[in-house]
Amino acid sequence: MSARDELRGLRRALRLTARRLRFQALAWILPLWLGMASFAPAYQDAYFSEAGGAGGAGGNAVVEALRASPGTRLLYGELPDPGTIGQLVQWEGATYLLVCTALMAVLLTCRLLRADEDEGLTELLRDTGTGRWVPFLAPVLVIWVAIGILAVLVGATLAAEATQIESLPATGGWALAGVTAIVGWGFAGLAAVVCQLARSAAGARPLALACVGVAFMVRVAADQWEVTWMRWFTPLGWRDLAAPYTDDNPAPLAVCGGIAVALVAVAGALYTHREYAGGYLPDRATSTRRWRVHGYADLLTRLSTRTTLAWAAAIACFSALFGSMTEGILEMMRDDRIAEYVDMLVQAGADMMEQFMSLMTVLLVLLIAVAATGQAGRLAADEDAGLVEAEAAVGVPRRRLFLMQAVSAAAVGTILLVLCGAVLAAVTATQVTEDHAVERAFVFTVSQLPGVLAAIGIALAVVGVAPRRFGVVWAVIAWSAFARLLGGMMDLPTWAQDLSVLGHYLDVVGNPDWVPLAVQTAVGALGTAVGLVAYRRRDLSGV
């Protein structure tokens, strides 16, 4: 068969895939772009305002404190000398950018390459006469283009800011844009390989996300042991090879680009030799063991256990990591310029311990909100797969299906919050104990349960009214994270920052403010009620 026949229909498939992906891609690209645009001006105002805005770091005590902190080194890597604004942007800001770009690449690749095959969309596409390579190449190319658009936006924004900030050269901005593209393409290629190895999207997605975690740990090991060659084996280490705003070296980018292409080629080779809807890894979706299931609630618990345990392990690890950084970061926050920068992120005027705990718990509760809303959204996924129709056919009332899923999501959120608060408090106790640090670590975390319930309520309302629009829920959580973590730097009004399911908590010091928590609880209850009424009245998908 000729190459033309193999690629028949590729152009139309590209347009169709781009149209399907446009909202999901924008939901990733816009927050990342806006976040990167805010870092350089924030650093100039907070760290270098006394130097007249030049941004040079000679003798800057803030930069030296950031470089000396073991916690920041663990998270962001080694801060290059001398620590200019551009180097700070590629050190801290690019860490968030690259990790989120990796998650974007992995999740979108698994969705288009594997979930489409599980749902029969790939078979439908082949039945229209498209070539054999089209179902593989169209998703990969569209995802690469989306990552490229993000990279161009980042590079153009940093280049535009270079005209206002002296120590932010445009060449460094474009070097960082190149790193963003290469890292995203590398993870997309890695996820494409995983999609061929796994037997379903349910198996590919956690394996690909685990690869992101391993890549981060390899980058940490390379930084801690100062082993440069290890950075070649993790896309998250490719930034340090190119060194934006320091060396701006294009040679590693070319080599890493070749690695990304090679990963796609490996995935293509695996694609041509596997059976449709098959894989190379052992099939663990079924078991010969016989379950003694006592009702739908027992079945739901068993099906959710593995995912919940995976989230629990991740939350415990992140809580321990953040708790171990408490002493070092609090020491840095005693510098007036760092304190001024933190004031832009969280409530100005609050004491230092409250500001630190607020930031840490918002990041942790963000993960828990994702886990809990994902659990609530399983009902929509089960409906798409036809499982709800089968459960209803054997006599399980739809009202019970909905309420059991709501209870399950609330239980997952509560368990993870208590675990997170307990681990964070226990590790914090080994670092500091003054200013009620241990009590605040636990209470700040657990008291954000109403926010998690509000997110669950919104998710259940979407499931009941329009399950195919579940992306709205992720948009709400993305806005909440943006408003709480970057709203201050973007000068958002206070009311806009408060429109968030995150960051509303009780403090063990002073008079507690119950109003935001009561509002969030009411939102959760109302969303659940609306979803239940709509779910009982509407038709099931495909019925």
Side-chain angles (χ1 to χ4, degrees):
M1 186 176 291
S2 67
R4 183 173 183 178
D5 292 333
E6 297 276 4
L7 299 177
R8 185 189 301 115
L10 178 60
R11 183 178 301 177
R12 292 184 178 180
L14 288 172
R15 290 200 300 267
L16 176 62
T17 305
R19 182 178 178 84
R20 291 178 54 209
L21 196 67
R22 64 190 188 280
F23 292 120
Q24 296 179 56
L26 286 175
W28 282 99
I29 291 172
L30 291 180
L32 293 177
W33 171 45
L34 294 175
M36 282 302 297
S38 66
F39 277 104
Y43 289 143
Q44 184 181 39
D45 294 340
Y47 296 166
F48 300 97
S49 56
E50 296 181 3
N60 192 311
V62 177
V63 172
E64 295 305 320
L66 291 171
R67 182 179 289 114
S69 171
T72 56
R73 181 184 175 89
L74 186 69
L75 277 180
Y76 309 125
E78 184 176 355
L79 177 58
D81 288 324
T84 62
I85 290 178
Q87 290 171 329
L88 284 169
V89 168
Q90 70 87 34
W91 176 67
E92 181 182 10
T95 296
Y96 296 120
L97 172 67
L98 297 181
V99 171
C100 291
T101 301
L103 294 175
M104 167 187 168
V106 163
L107 293 176
L108 293 182
T109 301
C110 291
R111 177 66 187 88
L112 293 178
L113 267 187
R114 197 69 217 205
D116 281 6
E117 189 169 328
D118 294 347
E119 295 171 2
L121 295 179
T122 300
E123 183 179 10
L124 179 63
L125 184 64
R126 289 297 308 275
D127 288 343
T128 61
T130 57
R132 182 180 58 163
W133 281 100
V134 172
F136 175 81
L137 288 178
V140 171
L141 292 176
V142 169
I143 291 169
W144 275 39
V145 169
I147 294 169
I149 291 173
L150 172 61
V152 169
L153 289 174
V154 169
T157 301
L158 292 174
E161 291 176 342
T163 61
Q164 305 295 326
I165 302 174
E166 181 179 342
S167 61
L168 193 74
T171 53
W174 288 113
L176 183 55
V179 170
T180 303
I182 294 301
V183 170
W185 293 343
F187 275 108
L190 184 60
V193 172
V194 170
C195 286
Q196 307 311 312
L197 296 175
R199 292 182 175 271
S200 65
R205 193 176 296 112
L207 185 57
L209 291 174
C211 290
V212 176
V214 170
F216 183 83
M217 289 189 288
V218 173
R219 194 234 76 195
V220 169
D223 292 333
Q224 295 298 313
W225 300 336
E226 298 183 353
V227 182
T228 302
W229 60 266
M230 289 183 65
R231 295 190 174 112
W232 288 100
F233 293 92
T234 168
L236 294 178
W238 294 348
R239 172 197 63 181
D240 299 316
L241 298 174
Y245 294 107
T246 302
D247 298 331
D248 299 332
N249 188 359
L253 294 181
V255 176
C256 295
I259 295 174
V261 173
L263 287 171
V264 174
V266 171
L270 294 172
Y271 170 77
T272 58
H273 290 90
R274 72 171 175 86
E275 294 288 339
Y276 177 80
Y280 296 90
L281 296 179
D283 185 8
R284 300 187 181 278
T286 59
S287 173
T288 57
R289 293 181 302 170
R290 188 173 183 178
W291 282 359
R292 297 184 180 275
V293 179
H294 304 284
Y296 177 72
D298 187 19
L299 175 63
L300 184 59
T301 301
R302 291 172 181 266
L303 293 176
S304 305
T305 298
R306 184 179 299 179
T307 302
T308 303
L309 289 177
W311 274 111
I315 295 297
C317 291
F318 278 109
S319 301
L321 173 63
F322 289 162
S324 65
M325 297 165 52
T326 302
E327 185 177 11
I329 293 182
L330 287 174
E331 187 66 30
M332 287 194 306
M333 289 175 63
R334 291 187 174 93
D335 186 283
D336 290 339
R337 282 171 291 184
I338 290 185
E340 182 180 349
Y341 175 64
V342 174
D343 283 343
M344 293 190 298
L345 297 177
V346 293
Q347 181 182 356
D351 63 80
M352 184 172 61
M353 183 62 70
E354 180 181 356
Q355 290 181 325
F356 171 73
M357 287 299 171
S358 175
L359 279 175
M360 292 300 100
T361 55
V362 163
L363 290 171
L364 293 170
V365 175
L366 171 62
L367 297 177
I368 296 171
V370 171
T373 51
Q375 180 68 13
R378 286 192 59 171
L379 189 59
D382 289 348
E383 185 175 343
D384 283 342
L387 298 180
V388 171
E389 184 180 359
E391 290 161 345
V394 298
V396 182
R398 290 171 64 177
R399 176 174 174 271
R400 186 178 181 187
L401 292 173
F402 187 91
L403 292 179
M404 284 296 100
Q405 199 71 53
V407 171
S408 175
V412 168
T414 302
I415 291 171
L416 293 180
L417 281 173
V418 173
L419 173 65
C420 176
V423 173
L424 184 62
V427 179
T428 299
T430 66
Q431 301 285 309
V432 293
T433 56
E434 65 267 14
D435 293 333
H436 306 279
V438 178
E439 296 88 345
R440 279 174 156 172
F442 184 78
V443 174
F444 274 38
T445 304
V446 176
S447 62
Q448 294 190 53
L449 175 60
V452 175
L453 295 179
I456 293 172
I458 295 171
L460 292 172
V462 174
V463 168
V465 176
R468 296 187 183 275
R469 298 292 180 263
F470 197 79
V472 173
V473 180
W474 304 126
V476 170
I477 294 178
W479 164 259
S480 299
F482 174 78
R484 282 302 178 192
L485 298 175
L486 299 175
M489 287 196 296
M490 301 296 292
D491 292 326
L492 289 180
T494 303
W495 64 265
Q497 297 182 46
D498 288 339
L499 288 177
S500 168
V501 297
L502 306 172
H504 297 286
Y505 51 80
L506 298 178
D507 196 351
V508 298
V509 178
N511 296 323
D513 185 6
W514 293 92
V515 175
L517 305 187
V519 172
Q520 288 181 321
T521 303
V523 169
L526 179 61
T528 303
V530 170
L532 176 60
V533 172
Y535 187 73
R536 294 181 64 188
R537 292 173 179 266
R538 70 170 174 83
D539 291 334
L540 294 176
S541 299
V543 177

